[in-house]
Amino acid sequence: MSFSPIDNWISNDPEVTGLLQKEWHRQTTTIQLIASENFASPSVMAATGSILTNKYSEGYPGRRYYGGNQVVDEIEDLARRRLTALFGADHANVQPHSGANANVAVYQALLEPGDTVLALRLDQGGHLTHGSPASLTSKFWNFVSYGVTPRNDDPENPGELIDFDNLRAQALEHRPKLIIGGATAYARKIDPRPFREIADEIGAMLMFDSAHVAGLIAGGSHPSPVPYADVVTFTTHKTLRGPRGGAILCREEHAKKIDSAVFPGQQGGPLEHSIAAKAVAFREAAQENFSTYTDQIVKNSVAFGEALVKEGFRLVSGGTENHMLLLDLGEFDAELTGKEAQEVLDRAGITTNRNTIPDDPRSPFITSGLRVGTAAETTAGMKEKDFATVAELMTRALRNRNDEAAVTKVREDVASLLTDFNPYANFTK
Ligand SMILES: *Cc1c(COP(=O)(O)O)cnc(C)c1O
């Protein structure tokens, strides 16, 4: 259990080396439940840490503004080919530095300043770059929003699901040029087809932001928006388990505009070390065992949810079908805020993030919800029964949050559970 990707890191910088060692310890002795995180493979990390960080390559393969890009061209072409093959898309741009950059590049490519865009509201599960007042996107474009249906405690007919009637009504009223599907805090499968139907009804373009579920789509556990959307954006570091970064897939008719919006529209030199690492991740995601991984993620979420419900938590939308669970803490303990839960769990060695729930009465800084995810610890090897244990540990810490000894005991139990799970022992070379 001593394998660490930084064991062999030769550094003349003891301060940074020491901090990396501390972070290695944190990542492997506490439970990682942040839904947007994962453990990238050693191959992905090796490419990220490679000599490609030395190269300037503004432009695209065959059309660079610098010399010496023969090899880099092959690398970026390989990444693009692997990505279009993985998702069956016409065209790929692998240069966006992040998911947010990818989204803004798409707006820049397809819209004029002031054009109207229809997206899921932030407090209903949307992303900041979907027009939040805090994001520059809301200053350049006119965002209007749709929401989720009201809470409904009937298990046969759960509420808090994307409200397609509202989406259609908003589309007919505001005639957006672009409709966005996809979410950042939403635990259910998203069917791309009704989005396309509504977009066609009003002649809008459709973008899907699959940042969270790109891996689940690649593994075949979730429906692909690629056949339905004009453009699909995503991050490469969430369920897709690659390096930190973004990517864009689009129909051939938008390819030129998308490429120009990424560079020179928005970014300078691409991060070819990240692009090489993206290529590695795309190959990994095309292997058969990646589907086994993504199916296990979903099974683990379902088991985790069932265990949490038994402990008295309410799941927003009554369940989960992906890698994430959005917990409404109010049902468990009306006084417990998301902020306090996150802090208590941090002390107990369980890493989570607070999150608003639909129509949250508390502010985004305090919140009434907690978001947890199973992608990272599934990589580390956890199965359904282990997530039931995690649910028990979480509950014990939160119930006894004012008893320091009890929280410390949970932290010890967490460390002991994790002796069985090492993310880096599970990757074969
Ligand atoms: C995470 C996320 C992003 C942004 O990705 P970054 O790499 O953090 O910029 C965009 N959209 C959605 C839906 C996300 O979940």
Side-chain angles (χ1 to χ4, degrees), residues 244-277:
R244 192 154 287 283
I248 303 173
L249 295 168
C250 68
R251 294 183 174 172
E252 194 53 50
E253 60 188 289
H254 304 301
K256 224 169 155 244
K257 277 188 177 169
I258 293 284
D259 284 353
S260 315
V262 174
F263 173 85
Q266 213 200 113
Q267 296 185 168
L271 313 179
E272 293 294 341
H273 54 301
S274 290
I275 289 172

Side-chain angles (χ1 to χ4, degrees), residues 124 147-155 157-161 163 312-318 327-332 357-361 368:
Q124 310 268 298
V148 296
T149 54
R151 173 177 166 178
N152 182 359
D153 291 331
D154 173 6
N157 178 25
E160 297 166 309
L161 301 176
D163 185 346
F313 291 90
R314 188 183 81 84
L315 303 183
V316 171
S317 85
L327 309 183
D328 172 357
L329 298 169
E331 213 85 334
F332 174 76
I357 57 172
D359 305 314
D360 201 322
S368 306

